[in-house]
Amino acid sequence: MLNIDDLHVKLEDDDKDILKGVSLSVPAGKVHAIMGPNGSGKSTLSYVLSGRDGYEVTGGSATLAGEDLLEMEPEERAAAGLFLAFQYPVEIPGVGNMTFLRTAVNAQRKARGEEEMSATDFLKLIRAKAAELQIDADMLKRPVNTGFSGGEKKRNEILQMAVLEPRMCILDETDSGLDVDAMRLVADGVNALRSEGRAFLVITHYQRLLDHIVPDVVHIMADGRIVKTGGAELALEVENNGYADLLAEVA
Amino acid sequence: MAVPATRPALPTDPLPGGAKWLRTARDAAAGRLAAMGLPQPRDEYWKFTRPDSLTQADVPAAALFDPREAPVFGEVDRIRLVFVDGVFAPDQSDDPAGENLEIARLAEIAETDIHWAAGLFGRLEADGHSPVARPLAALNTARASDGVAIRATGPVAKPVSLIYLHKSETSDAILHHLVKVEDGASLTLLENGPAAARFNKCMEVELGDGAAFNHVRAQGRDHERRAVTHAFARLGQGASYKSFTLTANGRLTRNEQVITLAGAGATAHVAGAALGDGAFHQDDTVFVHHAAPDCESRQVFKKVLRNGATGVFQGKILVDSVAQRTDGYQIAQALLLDGDSQFLVKPELEIYADDVKCSHGSTSGGVDVDARFYLMSRGIPRAEAEDLLVLSFLAEAIAEIEDATLAAEIHSRLAAWLERHRSGRR
Ligand SMILES: Nc1ncnc2c1ncn2[C@@H]1O[C@H](COP(=O)(O)OP(=O)(O)OP(=O)(O)O)[C@@H](O)[C@H]1O
Ligand SMILES: [Mg+2]
């Protein structure tokens, strides 16, 4: 589903290299996790894949189901089925959450040449998904993420994912800021979406999330590279021993 | 292009004729005007806006514009009064009657010796030249030949709607309206349309105790029209004055509001949304005077500017020493969609009471790129994402419109404007 090959990225207005040859591929139906020390480039990878300004790709490639992601506008990547749950969801005062979601759903449908969803169908869909994530009507009415608590913002990200039904989901530290119950809700939300045709890339610092969303593969990123790849047990190793041993071992 | 050093100024002598009260008021206004003189670029409150095209004898021609959309407020059940280039058009207007409502034309009552309007005409304007002179309002009082006098004696069910059509490329219109909302009465006034190539409008609004006045206007979308408007309002105890103005397009627009909170517990909210693309200069000059205790005032002005458009905000809150427990708020913000556009601001607070809550702020900046990326990452194309952010920027001003139907109407006009200008149409 997602293929990243020797991706090099630097900041656009700075000569700082951040990704120094990242390669990984996530097949359809699989869940991969990325762990790694602060500042190793995990969020940068997620931003570059989703098309944020400010980065320059100096080498390598990234494709989604064979399509060159890096050539597309952010909204085209979304319509092609890519979704990023932000580490820091953005507050947009003045734009209602519902309006935002409906605009997004219909923009994607339009881009794919599908018919727009009617207001009633949309309402039904969002009510059902919101109920599963215990998001109340008030949160749907409020402006996007505005005044939401940290945990509410993260649940709102998962709600958007559930409504937009992407085939490639990237979750950047969706577990941070969640209490135990919210973590379970989010994990249930993700697990409900797991399917043959859908792949996940879960960025996290903690084993705890991976107890709920059990990954097929775990990658360790350090200083802009994937330095080690293994099974779910690799996450446990990180949890127990930290990164020092691991990094020393690959150095 | 050579500009003559001084162009001949428009005539300033009072209009002749009419009943005694009218002649007296016009003469007095002409006298005030002679003493203060027409606005000059060096005047403190004309530094940001060039007055010459408003004061020269020749009216700069303004091409007519077909907006190719249904006129604003079209769906609202209202009493329509139509002016064409500043001349009342009875055949296009509704019967100006309704329960608790009296409407008369200035041109009609001009010959009447006794009329309630005689006590209001020119009075609030005359009081409104402090702290700064407003010569174009005095000019209006001296020379307006028509306008409407509206009096509400109780709740008025239907909005009164003044519709200003523009049919001549060189028309010069002066209208003077009087609004009196008696104790406990309420009235909604709508205004829309470009009015003329050059439009000078003055409105005096007197609100009795517990009176409520709602005002929503959409200034016409003709690109080359020019307008200077003044509203002078005086609020009695517990009265409420709420005014919203949409200005989209227009070569030059200067909207002045002078509001005196004269009775305890009165509320005044003035808001505006201005949208300019290219040759657009829009100026809100607002003076709110807290002259009684326990009053609340809010000023919310938002401007969206692109392709070299200019927005101006000059706003002052004056709080007298008696005006304890004043709650005053003022915000003026511009969203600059490119580097060519500019926003010029002069916010002022002058406070003589000690128990007062007053805040003011002004900002200008571009579209929030993080928010734009967030929207785009959900599949919303760049232009649409920007429009959503522009509407979100304007939301605080639109929220000042109390009536949900009118607010929705204004919102849809704003969205349509953005859509048109996004696709390069005008
Ligand atoms: N716009 C930017 N300007 C300057 N430095 C940046 C920018 N974006 C990323 N960086 C730097 O790139 C490096 C990688 O940052 P990134 O946010 O990708 O790390 P991360 O792995 O997600 O960290 P964390 O676990 O703390 O979220 C850091 O050193 C960061 O400071
Ligand atoms: Mg990060």
Side-chain angles (χ1 to χ4, degrees):
Chain A
M1 175 71 67
L2 178 67
N3 279 293
I4 306 170
D5 186 30
D6 197 25
L7 190 65
H8 287 72
V9 171
K10 73 179 217 26
L11 291 176
E12 211 168 53
D13 34 59
D14 200 321
D15 270 336
K16 186 171 169 168
D17 291 320
I18 300 180
L19 300 185
K20 303 169 181 172
V22 173
S23 299
L24 66 88
S25 59
V26 190
K30 299 293 181 191
V31 176
H32 284 208
I34 300 185
M35 302 180 82
N38 293 131
S40 55
K42 304 179 299 295
S43 293
T44 303
L45 176 65
S46 71
Y47 285 143
V48 169
L49 292 174
S50 43
R52 189 182 183 173
D53 287 340
Y55 305 101
E56 191 185 321
V57 175
T58 53
S61 66
T63 58
L64 178 68
E67 287 182 83
D68 185 357
L69 271 179
L70 304 177
E71 282 301 302
M72 294 186 225
E73 290 295 321
E75 71 271 21
E76 293 168 341
R77 303 179 196 205
L82 182 74
F83 181 90
L84 168 63
F86 283 54
Q87 182 173 0
Y88 304 108
V90 182
E91 297 196 0
I92 311 181
V95 177
N97 218 1
M98 287 280 250
T99 310
F100 159 59
L101 263 172
R102 195 151 62 98
T103 310
V105 166
N106 284 331
Q108 290 201 14
R109 288 179 158 236
K110 198 170 149 197
R112 292 193 291 256
E114 298 164 13
E115 210 159 297
E116 292 201 352
M117 192 181 274
S118 76
T120 34
D121 286 351
F122 175 77
L123 209 64
K124 258 189 232 150
L125 172 71
I126 191 151
R127 283 210 180 118
K129 302 285 186 190
E132 285 168 19
L133 289 158
Q134 297 187 9
I135 288 175
D136 59 25
D138 178 57
M139 241 171 87
L140 291 176
K141 274 189 227 140
R142 273 156 61 186
V144 180
N145 294 326
T146 308
F148 286 23
S149 74
E152 286 171 342
K153 283 180 183 164
K154 297 302 176 77
R155 272 190 280 149
N156 199 32
E157 294 292 287
I158 301 305
L159 172 67
Q160 292 167 39
M161 188 167 86
V163 169
L164 293 168
E165 300 184 321
R167 52 181 169 168
M168 180 68 229
C169 310
I170 305 174
L171 279 65
D172 190 358
E173 292 196 30
T174 302
D175 51 337
S176 61
L178 292 182
D179 64 34
V180 181
D181 295 333
M183 168 106 73
R184 181 169 292 279
L185 275 177
V186 163
D188 289 349
V190 170
N191 287 329
L193 283 169
R194 286 179 81 155
S195 73
E196 293 277 292
R198 186 170 283 135
F200 290 84
L201 188 58
V202 180
I203 299 170
T204 183
H205 286 295
Y206 306 106
Q207 160 65 27
R208 208 161 50 132
L209 179 70
L210 303 180
D211 281 341
H212 298 295
I213 308 171
V214 180
D216 298 293
V217 173
V218 175
H219 306 276
I220 306 296
M221 186 183 257
D223 192 26
R225 292 187 187 88
I226 302 293
V227 296
K228 186 160 184 171
T229 296
E233 72 288 348
L234 193 50
L236 263 176
E237 198 183 322
V238 168
E239 182 88 358
N240 294 332
N241 306 329
Y243 291 110
D245 292 356
L246 246 169
L247 296 183
E249 181 189 313
V250 299
Chain B
M1 197 172 65
V3 179
T6 42
R7 292 173 194 268
L10 43 62
T12 54
D13 53 314
L15 285 190
K20 184 156 172 285
W21 63 267
L22 185 62
R23 283 203 311 275
T24 310
R26 282 174 174 163
D27 289 351
R32 280 195 291 282
L33 176 58
M36 57 189 124
L38 286 168
Q40 305 294 328
R42 61 170 183 275
D43 293 348
E44 182 63 24
Y45 282 80
W46 287 92
K47 286 210 168 78
F48 297 148
T49 298
R50 287 179 57 130
D52 46 353
S53 66
L54 298 171
T55 59
Q56 72 196 39
D58 292 339
V59 179
L64 306 180
F65 177 72
D66 177 4
R68 277 165 297 179
E69 65 174 359
V72 69
F73 309 134
E75 302 298 306
V76 180
D77 187 17
R78 63 212 158 120
I79 300 169
R80 290 168 308 160
L81 302 173
V82 178
F83 292 82
V84 180
D85 291 306
V87 178
F88 184 65
D91 48 323
Q92 299 179 51
S93 301
D94 293 330
D95 176 19
E99 201 182 340
N100 301 323
L101 180 66
E102 292 170 23
I103 298 180
R105 284 176 62 192
L106 180 61
E108 282 164 12
I109 58 179
E111 307 299 331
T112 316
D113 287 328
I114 296 171
H115 193 274
W116 64 264
L120 183 55
F121 186 81
R123 176 162 58 85
L124 300 186
E125 175 262 299
D127 288 346
H129 297 283
S130 146
V132 286
R134 303 172 206 277
L136 294 173
L139 174 93
N140 182 298
T141 303
R143 297 199 52 88
S145 55
D146 212 348
V148 285
I150 307 169
R151 181 171 175 224
T153 53
V156 176
K158 280 191 205 178
V160 175
S161 172
L162 306 179
I163 299 164
Y164 306 122
L165 305 180
H166 174 205
K167 302 275 190 199
S168 150
E169 292 193 357
T170 53
S171 54
D172 195 13
I174 304 183
L175 290 177
H176 195 116
H177 305 311
L178 302 163
V179 175
K180 188 162 191 169
V181 185
E182 303 286 2
D183 293 355
S186 61
L187 177 74
T188 297
L189 180 71
L190 308 176
E191 291 182 283
N192 70 287
R198 182 168 73 185
F199 186 38
N200 179 332
K201 190 207 73 176
C202 180
M203 179 163 83
E204 296 178 277
V205 182
E206 181 147 66
L207 304 184
D209 294 347
F213 178 61
N214 281 302
H215 177 217
V216 181
R217 72 173 155 173
Q219 296 180 294
R221 281 191 23 225
D222 292 29
H223 293 277
E224 294 171 3
R225 60 148 193 86
R226 287 160 206 271
V228 55
T229 77
H230 288 87
F232 296 92
R234 187 180 171 82
L235 281 64
Q237 252 183 48
S240 156
Y241 176 92
K242 302 224 167 129
S243 176
F244 175 91
T245 301
L246 165 64
T247 311
N249 307 345
R251 180 64 52 86
L252 174 65
T253 308
R254 163 94 159 199
N255 293 324
E256 296 202 28
Q257 305 216 41
V258 181
I259 293 155
T260 306
L261 297 139
T267 305
H269 291 197
V270 284
L275 299 168
D277 185 352
F280 170 90
H281 183 110
Q282 193 272 357
D283 173 335
D284 284 295
T285 294
V286 182
F287 177 62
V288 174
H289 180 187
H290 282 261
D294 300 303
C295 293
E296 186 213 323
S297 70
R298 269 175 82 81
Q299 301 173 42
V300 181
F301 289 91
K302 306 266 184 162
K303 302 178 202 266
V304 179
L305 306 166
R306 62 154 59 123
N307 288 324
T310 300
V312 175
F313 175 78
Q314 310 184 104
K316 177 163 186 167
I317 306 176
L318 168 65
V319 181
D320 288 353
S321 58
V322 296
Q324 297 296 358
R325 296 169 301 281
T326 284
D327 183 356
Y329 175 74
Q330 178 194 85
I331 184 95
Q333 295 179 304
L335 188 59
L336 306 175
L337 296 179
D338 52 47
D340 300 335
S341 303
Q342 58 174 349
F343 183 43
L344 306 165
V345 287
K346 182 181 161 77
E348 292 173 281
L349 283 180
E350 198 176 320
I351 301 175
Y352 296 101
D354 44 30
D355 182 9
V356 162
K357 199 173 83 190
C358 266
S359 61
H360 68 157
S362 106
T363 62
S364 69
V367 165
D368 178 343
V369 293
D370 288 334
R372 186 179 64 197
F373 173 63
Y374 189 72
L375 295 172
M376 290 170 74
S377 78
R378 299 308 184 234
I380 303 172
R382 179 177 301 259
E384 229 178 295
E386 288 199 353
D387 286 2
L388 268 177
L389 293 174
V390 172
L391 288 171
S392 98
F393 166 78
L394 295 170
E396 188 187 3
I398 302 169
E400 290 297 328
I401 305 171
E402 227 167 44
D403 182 281
T405 314
L406 294 174
E409 173 84 328
I410 294 294
H411 187 274
S412 78
R413 298 293 155 156
L414 290 164
W417 189 94
L418 291 170
E419 229 249 58
R420 273 193 309 276
H421 285 249
R422 184 213 300 168
S423 51
R425 283 179 294 141
R426 309 222 307 159

